[in-house]
Amino acid sequence: INSTGMIFSMELDLNSKYLFKCTKPGYVTKTVSFDTKVPSGNEKDEFALFICLVDLYKEDGKTQPYEKPVGEIKYNKKLKDFDYFKNYK
């Protein structure tokens, strides 16, 4: 993404899957999964702006790298919008 901590924005296509990899030299890398699949008939809906903050921390030589994404963003039927899920399976 970028090592200066700057904010960025992008538009994602619906019904696609994305992996965002956040890296910085000397820091633990994290990825976030974004699944833009929406229920049939909802493709023309407007969805709220989604803000995702990812904090990186310094490697200490003991920390194991994350083997899978630290969270997933996907459509939440109850909210009728996208939501963040930690520790998903």
Side-chain angles (χ1 to χ4, degrees), residues 59-64:
E59 293 177 341
D60 61 8
K62 301 175 190 173
T63 306
Q64 296 292 319

Side-chain angles (χ1 to χ4, degrees), residues 29 31 64-70:
T29 296
T31 57
Q64 296 292 319
Y66 292 99
E67 293 183 17
K68 61 183 193 174
V70 295

Side-chain angles (χ1 to χ4, degrees), residues 49-78:
L49 173 67
F50 194 91
I51 297 172
C52 180
L53 175 66
V54 179
D55 290 322
L56 301 181
Y57 52 89
K58 288 188 178 189
E59 293 177 341
D60 61 8
K62 301 175 190 173
T63 306
Q64 296 292 319
Y66 292 99
E67 293 183 17
K68 61 183 193 174
V70 295
E72 178 182 38
I73 300 158
K74 64 181 179 180
Y75 187 81
N76 182 320
K77 291 179 185 177
K78 192 182 282 188

